[in-house]
Amino acid sequence: MNKPSPLHSLDSELVKIKDAKHHDPFSVLGRHTVGGDTILRAFLPYAESVKLAADGGEFQRIPDSDFFEYRPGKTGVPAHYQLIWLDKDGGSHCQYDPYSFGPILPEFDQHLFGEGRHWHIYQKLGAHLMTVDGIEGVHFAVWAPNAQRVSAIGDFNRWDGRCHPMRNLGNSGIWEIFVPGLTVGNLYKFEILNRHSGQVLVKTDPYGQQFEFRPSTAAIVVDEDAYIWRDGAWMEQRPQHDWLHRPMSIYEVHLGSWRRDHRGNFLNYRDLAAQLVDYVKEMGFTHIELLPVTEHPLDISWGYQTTGYFAPTSRHGTPDDFRFFVDHCHQNGIGVILDWVPAHFPKDSFALGRFDGTPLYEHEDPRKGEHRDWGTLIYNYSRNEVKNFLLSSAFFWLEEFHLDGLRVDAVASMLYLDYSRDANDWIPNMYGGNENLEAIDFLRHMNTVTHEQHPGTVIMAEESTSWPQVTRPTWTGGLGFSMKWNMGWMHDILHYMQEQPIHRSYHHDSLTFGLLYAFTENFVLPFSHDEVVHGKGSLLNKMPGDEWQRFANLRLLYTMMFTYPGKKLLFMGCEFGQGTEWSCNRTLDWYVLDYPHHRGLQTLVKDLNKLYSSHAALHRYDFEHQGFEWIDCHDYQQSIISYRRKSAHEDLIVILNFTPVPRESYRIGVPQPGTYFEIFNSDSQYYDGSNVGNGTVLSEPQPWMGQQHSIAVTLPPLAGIILKM
């Protein structure tokens, strides 16, 4: 039988529990031995009465408190016992006592995390469904080494940090608690008391896998194993996929503005799967690259100010809805790449910034820990746990969502300590240089292990400087990325195309300079979202001339991109010549496809994709010099260039005319005598061009440009042609 507790005032340990300041609540709550007797102690702020479910014994309230104690005598109590309690509104509750459970997170996991080598720490930290000794519930774990107390709060305890203070796991800085009875759909956060300042913070889960729809920020417990994948064939062949020598044409998409429903609301991932995949297949793209779908609070950040590194944004549905999206892409032969942001994170008070009341994920010194231009914080890459957080996020998307690659945003800002900083606003490294040695080590390690563990996936760098060997192996001193965006080529060619044709002869080097370094890295040729925002205008409106010339220039630009060495990337809307600058707040201007110029441009991109994919000469050696050879790069006076694209069994000739003047009988040298067929002409009537062209051309034994044979062709205005023997 229960022995009544003596009436006593609260001792200091109980006061710490009551005030939510106790560092080790498990030493006070749950089952304990006092004077040879077993005592069960619970702290239930909303309870009127409490009973032990096993024998109906009544807990005694410690006077003037919310503590309840029970001394079961010799009858014994199960290892995990249930409490039946009535709340002050008359509601009845029956639950296992969380403080009857021992430590759960193994020391080995804690050790690996502390070393920064736990690739799957997302399976341990955060909130996870778990069965302990046959009892179902949710295990919460969070890293907060500078906390005096951490509590799991949520819709299961009235968001009250007094109800579920967590166990501290010592030097690892990790806190945990198993709460029986919780399940999928429960909302939660962590309440953290800083040990030094006494500040109380309410933070969302850094490892949360689903969040509420903005502006709400609570994490949601998910079932990580419910989805049944159907992309087995794709995943089985991926490790053998030779992306170096296969076509890769990427359609860059912001899901929130590609299309919306008739009321202007975001489409669900499943609806996007059906509509977007059909469109991408029709257009001939091989991959979709998503602007960050990692959870983020601010729409106009486009996802680049991430707060949920393990959660697809709830704007478009649940994590399993996103799994369906990727699954559907794979079943239709489309790869999926995610923009991923390990360079910086926002200052929102509910997220990572000063997570436990100290600069935990960021550097304390703003000269290393803050991006002045962006108003964001920079990760502290010298902390193993921070590096592990980011590395685990990369693994999470590749493994749990079957993504085929990551495009790493803002790599240049990671490499340089003085990136976009005033002279006195940065701290040199140990050698006095401006290289961020810790970030470099992180990138090399990430690229090494992701390529080892997920062969066939790609990691791309958005890196805008001349840093050497970005895409070369780490064992040769490189950073180990698969590919790098060719920002130099993109800027040069757009600058050239914006010139009036009459002035282009003075800028001819902008057309040719890129080939001096084209094979020093594995380059992607990007016309991305960055080129059509912030007052830059659309690609179409960058082109000079009247309406016809603007479309002709854009067709010519795309012809050059698809025949130039490197993989291809085109932002949504650019494929049909959207005239307005892109905005994340509205859908694309699909209505313009009612007009012939726009339909013609869309058809041209579709045909260029098919040419690029079906002709090995255009993709086999995208990264190797043997796939390209100049025919003539010197005709600056007429603004014409010509070159060969080659593979082992195919040879194509590309001629580009950057003036609005048709060129009759324009002669170029050719490698072989015979009949040449015009297989593509960007001035074709099918693309709403003027239809100046050649059909077939017979070579002549007239030496030209170092060749023994030559052909005389008609070059259409502001257009490119492709010839094949």
Side-chain angles (χ1 to χ4, degrees):
M1 292 182 60
N2 183 27
K3 300 177 182 179
S5 298
L7 299 179
H8 57 74
S9 59
L10 299 182
D11 64 26
S12 61
E13 296 299 292
L14 296 182
V15 170
K16 290 178 183 178
I17 294 289
K18 176 182 72 73
D19 293 341
K21 293 182 178 179
H22 207 294
H23 193 68
D24 184 15
F26 282 79
S27 68
V28 177
L29 302 176
R31 182 200 310 262
H32 298 279
T33 300
V34 178
D37 293 334
T38 297
I39 183 171
L40 308 182
R41 184 180 295 121
F43 181 66
L44 298 169
Y46 301 100
E48 281 292 311
S49 63
V50 183
K51 291 182 179 181
L52 184 68
D55 62 7
E58 188 84 22
F59 278 65
Q60 299 297 309
R61 182 191 292 271
I62 296 178
D64 301 319
S65 79
D66 291 314
F67 287 96
F68 296 83
E69 291 184 347
Y70 178 65
R71 297 174 186 266
K74 297 181 180 180
T75 58
V77 176
H80 304 301
Y81 51 87
Q82 289 180 297
L83 305 178
I84 299 174
W85 59 280
L86 295 176
D87 63 32
K88 296 175 182 179
D89 298 321
S92 179
H93 309 264
C94 182
Q95 63 189 41
Y96 284 95
D97 186 356
Y99 298 95
S100 70
F101 293 85
I104 291 175
L105 187 65
E107 291 185 3
F108 181 66
D109 291 300
Q110 300 174 47
H111 175 74
L112 282 181
F113 178 60
E115 289 191 337
R117 297 191 297 114
H118 201 313
W119 302 334
H120 299 96
I121 193 63
Y122 62 83
Q123 296 174 351
K124 306 298 180 179
L125 300 185
H128 299 279
L129 298 177
M130 186 176 289
T131 300
V132 179
D133 297 335
I135 299 168
E136 296 181 348
V138 172
H139 177 248
F140 297 97
V142 65
W143 179 57
N146 298 294
Q148 173 68 25
R149 184 264 307 169
V150 179
S151 298
I153 61 174
D155 57 3
F156 49 90
N157 63 12
R158 307 193 191 193
W159 303 95
D160 190 335
R162 298 174 299 166
C163 295
H164 289 98
M166 303 169 72
R167 170 185 279 115
N168 178 261
L169 295 179
N171 292 333
S172 71
I174 296 173
W175 301 72
E176 69 166 6
I177 191 170
F178 175 69
V179 183
L182 301 190
T183 188
V184 173
N186 276 123
L187 304 179
Y188 72 96
K189 291 186 178 182
F190 296 111
E191 184 178 279
I192 301 171
L193 171 69
N194 179 266
R195 70 169 61 156
H196 304 295
S197 67
Q199 180 186 13
V200 176
L201 306 102
V202 176
K203 294 287 188 175
T204 198
D205 183 4
Y207 290 86
Q209 296 188 25
Q210 184 180 356
F211 292 92
E212 294 180 285
F213 185 70
R214 54 104 173 98
S216 298
T217 57
I220 304 172
V221 177
V222 302
D223 185 346
E224 301 159 63
D225 301 317
Y227 187 80
I228 299 174
W229 289 91
R230 295 175 176 83
D231 64 347
W234 176 278
M235 296 300 289
E236 185 177 349
Q237 62 81 34
R238 190 171 75 178
Q240 290 78 44
H241 182 65
D242 182 15
W243 54 264
L244 284 163
H245 301 107
R246 296 289 298 161
M248 180 177 286
S249 181
I250 303 165
Y251 189 56
E252 190 189 27
V253 179
H254 177 260
L255 291 180
S257 58
W258 183 72
R259 279 182 187 162
R260 295 189 178 184
D261 68 17
H262 65 281
R263 290 189 291 271
N265 297 320
F266 296 124
L267 294 177
N268 184 275
Y269 291 116
R270 294 175 186 260
D271 297 324
L272 284 161
Q275 297 182 36
L276 182 56
V277 169
D278 284 351
Y279 181 73
V280 166
K281 284 181 66 177
E282 179 189 358
M283 291 298 299
F285 292 99
T286 65
H287 289 71
I288 294 170
E289 181 176 318
L290 301 174
L291 270 65
V293 298
T294 41
E295 192 58 86
H296 52 283
L298 189 63
D299 288 3
I300 60 174
S301 78
W302 317 329
Y304 289 99
Q305 295 197 7
T306 296
T307 53
Y309 276 78
F310 298 84
T313 177
S314 58
R315 289 166 175 81
H316 305 289
T318 68
D320 280 354
D321 291 335
F322 185 59
R323 286 183 173 93
F324 178 90
F325 174 89
V326 177
D327 200 355
H328 188 70
C329 288
H330 287 172
Q331 292 177 58
N332 284 272
I334 303 297
V336 184
I337 299 165
L338 175 67
D339 277 14
W340 182 66
V341 191
H344 61 112
F345 59 95
K347 296 180 179 179
D348 298 71
S349 61
F350 68 86
L352 294 178
R354 299 190 69 86
F355 184 76
D356 62 0
T358 68
L360 187 62
Y361 286 86
E362 70 273 28
H363 280 278
E364 183 169 15
D365 192 323
R367 292 174 296 174
K368 293 186 73 174
E370 183 177 349
H371 272 301
R372 310 289 197 188
D373 291 349
W374 302 336
T376 54
L377 301 173
I378 302 171
Y379 284 103
N380 184 350
Y381 303 104
S382 64
R383 290 200 81 146
N384 288 340
E385 297 90 348
V386 173
K387 290 187 290 187
N388 205 147
F389 169 78
L390 293 171
L391 179 62
S392 181
S393 174
F395 265 73
F396 175 79
W397 294 105
L398 298 176
E399 191 162 317
E400 302 298 330
F401 285 87
H402 292 197
L403 295 185
D404 303 292
L406 302 173
R407 175 266 198 185
V408 182
D409 182 64
V411 171
S413 74
M414 299 174 68
L415 296 176
Y416 298 98
L417 294 166
D418 60 348
Y419 180 86
S420 192
R421 290 184 179 277
D422 295 333
N424 297 318
D425 193 32
W426 62 282
I427 302 174
N429 62 35
M430 63 171 57
Y431 304 109
N434 66 344
E435 301 87 359
N436 190 333
L437 303 179
E438 294 88 358
I440 293 166
D441 286 344
F442 163 72
L443 291 172
R444 285 174 170 159
H445 181 61
M446 179 197 68
N447 285 325
T448 298
V449 297
T450 53
H451 285 122
E452 285 178 353
Q453 298 299 313
H454 298 284
T457 61
V458 296
I459 310 292
M460 301 182 187
E462 187 222 7
E463 203 286 305
S464 54
T465 74
S466 57
W467 187 281
Q469 298 196 88
V470 172
T471 59
R472 296 299 178 254
T474 56
W475 62 81
T476 67
L479 294 181
F481 284 96
S482 312
M483 284 170 272
K484 167 184 172 173
W485 279 19
N486 194 338
M487 311 293 279
W489 173 85
M490 179 270 297
H491 286 300
D492 283 349
I493 192 61
L494 287 182
H495 173 75
Y496 178 86
M497 295 301 296
Q498 287 175 281
E499 296 288 344
Q500 291 290 340
I502 195 172
H503 299 140
R504 286 176 177 170
S505 62
Y506 302 104
H507 303 275
H508 196 71
D509 59 329
S510 294
L511 285 179
T512 59
F513 178 71
L515 265 300
L516 294 178
Y517 61 85
F519 306 109
T520 60
E521 301 277 10
N522 301 335
F523 281 121
V524 176
L525 309 177
F527 292 133
S528 74
H529 64 281
D530 281 327
E531 309 319 313
V532 293
V533 291
H534 299 320
K536 296 178 185 176
S538 66
L539 286 186
L540 178 64
N541 285 333
K542 295 181 194 295
M543 303 297 108
D546 58 22
E547 183 179 52
W548 187 92
Q549 289 188 356
R550 285 190 291 117
F551 277 93
N553 272 304
L554 197 52
R555 294 194 300 266
L556 173 58
L557 175 63
Y558 292 165
T559 302
M560 182 178 186
M561 178 177 77
F562 276 92
T563 60
Y564 194 92
K567 308 307 181 187
K568 325 301 177 188
L569 181 142
L570 194 61
F571 184 56
M572 64 180 198
C574 296
E575 78 276 13
F576 58 75
Q578 174 160 311
T580 57
E581 186 174 270
W582 171 63
S583 168
C584 68
N585 295 318
R586 63 173 185 269
T587 187
L588 296 179
D589 295 338
W590 294 101
Y591 71 89
V592 300
L593 288 170
D594 292 339
Y595 302 99
H597 285 328
H598 295 277
R599 286 199 308 273
L601 183 63
Q602 185 190 49
T603 303
L604 172 123
V605 172
K606 184 189 307 183
D607 286 354
L608 283 171
N609 267 323
K610 291 177 181 176
L611 275 172
Y612 171 66
S613 294
S614 61
H615 288 273
L618 293 177
H619 64 251
R620 178 68 183 174
Y621 297 118
D622 267 334
F623 305 139
E624 298 159 83
H625 66 87
Q626 61 263 43
F628 181 92
E629 182 182 328
W630 282 115
I631 295 175
D632 183 20
C633 62
H634 300 107
D635 192 358
Y636 69 92
Q637 292 179 318
Q638 298 185 89
S639 298
I640 296 172
I641 58 174
S642 53
Y643 48 85
R644 297 164 62 188
R645 290 303 311 275
K646 301 180 291 182
S647 67
H649 306 292
E650 188 178 36
D651 198 329
L652 301 180
I653 292 175
V654 180
I655 313 173
L656 307 175
N657 177 15
F658 290 90
T659 71
V661 180
R663 305 292 180 180
E664 302 286 345
S665 300
Y666 187 84
R667 186 169 295 276
I668 65 166
V670 292
Q672 299 291 335
T675 301
Y676 287 80
F677 298 88
E678 186 179 82
I679 63 171
F680 178 84
N681 184 334
S682 69
D683 192 48
S684 166
Q685 63 183 1
Y686 296 109
Y687 313 134
D688 204 39
S690 60
N691 215 36
V692 174
N694 297 274
T696 61
V697 182
L698 185 63
S699 69
E700 303 172 35
Q702 181 175 345
W704 205 264
M705 299 176 178
Q707 303 290 339
Q708 295 303 307
H709 300 269
S710 60
I711 57 174
V713 297
T714 297
L715 297 184
L718 294 173
I721 62 173
I722 304 175
L723 304 173
K724 180 180 179 181
M725 228 184 115

